Amino acid sequence: MTETAPRPTLEAVAARAGVSRATVSRVVNGGDGVREPLVERVRKAVEELGYVPNQAARSLVTRRHDAIAVVVAEPETRVFADPFFALQLRGISKELTAHDNQLVLLLTEGRDDHARVGRYLAGGHVDGALVFSLHLDDPLPGLIQHAGVPTVFGGRPGWSGDRRGVVYVDSDNRGGARDAVRHLAGLGRTRIAHITGALDQTSAVDRLDGYRDVMVDADPQLIVEGDFTPTGGERAMRELLERCPDLDAVFAANDLTAAGALRVLRASGRQVPDDVAVVGFDDMLPVAEQTDPPLTTVRQDIEEMGRLMARLLLRGVDRRAGERVGGAPSSVVLPTTLVRRASA
Amino acid sequence: MTETAPRPTLEAVAARAGVSRATVSRVVNGGDGVREPLVERVRKAVEELGYVPNQAARSLVTRRHDAIAVVVAEPETRVFADPFFALQLRGISKELTAHDNQLVLLLTEGRDDHARVGRYLAGGHVDGALVFSLHLDDPLPGLIQHAGVPTVFGGRPGWSGDRRGVVYVDSDNRGGARDAVRHLAGLGRTRIAHITGALDQTSAVDRLDGYRDVMVDADPQLIVEGDFTPTGGERAMRELLERCPDLDAVFAANDLTAAGALRVLRASGRQVPDDVAVVGFDDMLPVAEQTDPPLTTVRQDIEEMGRLMARLLLRGVDRRAGERVGGAPSSVVLPTTLVRRASA
DNA sequence: GGATCATCCGAGAGCGCTCTCACCTCCTCC
DNA sequence: GGAGGAGGTGAGAGCGCTCTCGGATGATCC
């Protein structure tokens, strides 16, 4: 914890280079319209003094912060047991860094925090927001809309409010689920069960819908609600085995759920995939490759989702700043692919 | 992506309340030395106009940002497969939020990024930095010291530079390792192997030292280098079984490594804990509780580490800002506890 | 009742930067 | 050779806030 040295200002650089503040400012911001010899002199002065612009002063006049908030509206510990979010964060970070933007992370713990986040966003500290893990009844989108900050959502928000101008990036959950179930059907399986995700999230609902698209008149006994966690998967699998001991396949809403289901199946003496075939969702590598047997699953490019969210948001921010960068960004749904491994 | 409305300024609030800017400022910042009726009037005006202070303008004069950078110097994907970091982040976030500070996340990808991070910290955008996952040869501490930003490290930095004023929070890795190995010895095991972590990190080195403290003249064949990952654990375990088929216990440098080792042991037909007892490190719940059998492991309170780091840093920041808050913060080493489950 | 003092409030400077606008120089062209 | 123009540079205002300092106000005390 060292002590502060007073940092040089534009003024100081200008004095040293023998030019005006305005010229230094021009050079620091790209140097357009300044003649070469002067540019050189200013650069040298900047170097010698170790000048770094004061971001606060700059923001005060430009009204830009070059910072984006990432809001994770996840009250539970689940996000943290789940590499999903970390991967998106990585994608976001890469994209933001590439555009010289900073990432301000806002984790919310419970309801009270929503107000805090709303205030923060409204406070104009950041140029935009990326919002994750929305649940169906979440008040956050309303607050954000009210704050008037450009926003992109991670996953389609299941939100009943004003939809205009809502931009999100999502995977084709429904299509991916269809692929998974069709694959199982293609293997000759007929009693295909589904362990859902937490149904207060649209991704879980969409995957369930995809399952139903294929299993048009599925035995309702074959559907059990899970919660995207391994223990939820275990519980659901036990319930399924009790209700439908004759099932021959399981489509789990995500890989973690599938991992839990696999354990229960093994414990029950059933062989995977011979007795029961299992398909997951996400292709979360550390999980999907490490299960026994390795998991057949629906891959979504999570990091790319993150990167895309950031890109859309930055475009929206620039647009708002008056730069012409094409029309208003619109939502994107990314395709999924089935990855075959040993479990189905 | 809604449009901006011009936000009200202090001036506007002052006009509406019929007072001066200074008075509004006082009220907004706590209201000391302003008489009740005026406070009330100002509060009302703030409310009515929806006034939120402009942080940039404030920072410009106070030189405080109420923001802390979290730097993750981890070039690999490992951090993300590992809930460890996420838990610390959660602890940090809680503590920062409680003190109205924001969290700016800086992820670095490879060497070039270090310069960027150094520049950012030197740029005075944040009041302090929390730095993680340092490797032995990392240039970051030097850069940070040069930037002159108050910093707290997560884990003891294995760094050969100037040590003065370096503050870190760490677990008692060595002591925890000793407990683990002693526990195995107490079970009557004599051929106790160790799969190390990535030895370019001090935590791995310390755990190895702890192992050696107890196994004073251990067969060097019983020590294999791992890398904190499940696959590393598998590879190491295979190597161990080949070299020392008579081993009767394994102390793995972390839970993920232990999980990999467990798989290999099972595949080799050995019973855990009967043939080989296994102890991990971290007590990372989703991992430790889900292995088969559940893992005996050394618990460290990861979230608390994060919270503590943030607390120390904020104290250092306040100190620097001239507020008297006791002496310079010094490093903290948190105790660990052995958690007994089925694997040993 | 007037001097003294504490308390409260407002005027105004200034944080470090950007950006407009006027000026100045040097070409170009008729 | 002089008008017109293009491009470079500097002066200065102002972004929204905090904070010092002096003045006003009213309480206190002899």
Side-chain angles (χ1 to χ4, degrees), chain A residues 40-335:
Chain A
E40 209 41 58
R41 237 161 67 208
V42 171
R43 288 252 163 79
K44 186 151 159 290
V46 165
E47 184 73 23
E48 289 170 354
L49 294 174
Y51 171 74
V52 186
N54 179 320
Q55 185 62 37
R58 181 180 277 173
S59 295
L60 183 56
V61 24
T62 59
R63 278 120 200 300
R64 283 279 294 232
H65 301 83
D66 295 323
I68 295 295
V70 171
V71 182
V72 184
E74 185 58 70
E76 300 137 60
T77 329
R78 198 181 65 74
V79 210
F80 294 110
D82 197 330
F84 192 94
F85 169 65
L87 278 170
Q88 297 210 51
L89 204 55
R90 189 192 174 86
I92 291 170
S93 168
K94 278 186 182 165
E95 188 70 21
L96 291 183
T97 298
H99 292 85
D100 271 319
N101 268 259
Q102 295 309 322
L103 192 169
V104 178
L105 189 63
L106 303 176
L107 303 178
T108 72
E109 304 275 340
R111 287 294 151 115
D112 322 345
D113 265 19
H114 283 149
R116 179 177 61 85
V117 170
R119 227 179 311 125
Y120 183 76
L121 294 179
H125 303 246
V126 291
D127 301 325
L130 258 21
V131 180
F132 284 97
S133 277
L134 279 181
H135 294 250
L136 283 177
D137 52 349
D138 209 302
L140 212 52
L143 286 171
I144 287 169
Q145 199 165 48
H146 185 254
V149 178
T151 303
V152 173
F153 293 90
R156 179 167 56 84
W159 174 51
S160 47
D162 188 348
R163 282 220 116 76
R164 284 172 309 176
V166 169
V167 178
Y168 62 87
V169 173
D170 205 354
S171 281
D172 183 9
N173 289 306
R174 189 161 181 167
R178 277 198 296 260
D179 290 348
V181 180
R182 281 206 199 100
H183 172 68
L184 289 169
L187 295 174
R189 310 294 166 138
T190 53
R191 298 285 288 163
I192 304 176
H194 178 42
I195 305 177
T196 74
L199 290 173
D200 63 340
Q201 291 178 263
T202 55
S203 59
V205 175
D206 290 352
R207 291 172 198 181
L208 173 57
D209 286 345
Y211 167 85
R212 285 203 172 115
D213 286 345
V214 181
M215 305 291 287
V216 271
D217 33 34
D219 180 353
Q221 292 286 313
L222 283 169
I223 301 175
V224 173
E225 186 167 348
D227 56 5
F228 285 132
T229 70
T231 40
E234 289 180 357
R235 190 192 38 67
M237 194 67 236
R238 270 191 291 269
E239 194 171 334
L240 274 174
L241 286 179
E242 199 163 307
R243 299 209 302 221
C244 314
D246 62 331
L247 59 82
D248 57 10
V250 176
F251 166 49
N254 72 346
D255 290 348
L256 293 173
T257 300
L262 282 178
R263 268 196 297 273
V264 170
L265 285 170
R266 175 154 23 101
S268 81
R270 284 171 173 80
Q271 294 294 321
V272 176
D274 300 340
D275 301 330
V276 179
V278 176
V279 177
F281 207 113
D282 286 350
D283 194 32
M284 202 154 285
L285 285 187
V287 178
E289 285 185 337
Q290 301 289 337
T291 54
D292 181 16
L295 208 56
T296 292
T297 187
V298 180
R299 164 179 297 162
Q300 42 183 345
D301 190 339
I302 302 172
E303 191 172 328
E304 177 60 22
M305 282 180 69
R307 204 170 313 156
L308 197 55
M309 284 179 68
R311 207 173 303 152
L312 285 179
L313 182 60
L314 289 177
R315 201 184 299 164
V317 168
D318 287 345
R319 230 173 67 82
R320 194 164 87 153
E323 302 169 29
R324 283 266 69 78
V325 284
S330 58
S331 299
V332 176
V333 175
L334 292 171

Side-chain angles (χ1 to χ4, degrees), chain A residues 10 21 25 29 51 58:
Chain A
L10 248 204
R21 276 199 331 276
S25 177
N29 292 297
Y51 171 74
R58 181 180 277 173

Side-chain angles (χ1 to χ4, degrees), chain A residues 2-5 7 47 49-50 52, chain B residues 118-119 121-123 139-151 153 159 162 320:
Chain A
T2 28
E3 292 306 315
T4 331
R7 302 203 294 115
E47 184 73 23
L49 294 174
V52 186
Chain B
R119 228 179 308 125
L121 295 180
L140 211 52
L143 286 171
I144 288 169
Q145 198 165 48
H146 184 255
V149 179
T151 302
F153 293 90
W159 175 51
D162 188 348
R320 195 165 87 152

Side-chain angles (χ1 to χ4, degrees), chain B residues 119-198:
Chain B
R119 228 179 308 125
Y120 182 75
L121 295 180
H125 304 245
V126 292
D127 300 327
L130 258 20
V131 180
F132 284 97
S133 277
L134 279 181
H135 294 250
L136 283 177
D137 52 347
D138 208 302
L140 211 52
L143 286 171
I144 288 169
Q145 198 165 48
H146 184 255
V149 179
T151 302
V152 172
F153 293 90
R156 179 168 56 84
W159 175 51
S160 46
D162 188 348
R163 283 218 115 77
R164 284 171 309 175
V166 169
V167 178
Y168 62 86
V169 173
D170 204 353
S171 280
D172 182 9
N173 289 305
R174 188 160 182 168
R178 275 197 297 258
D179 290 348
V181 180
R182 282 207 198 101
H183 172 68
L184 289 169
L187 296 173
R189 310 294 165 137
T190 54
R191 299 285 288 163
I192 304 175
H194 178 43
I195 303 177
T196 74

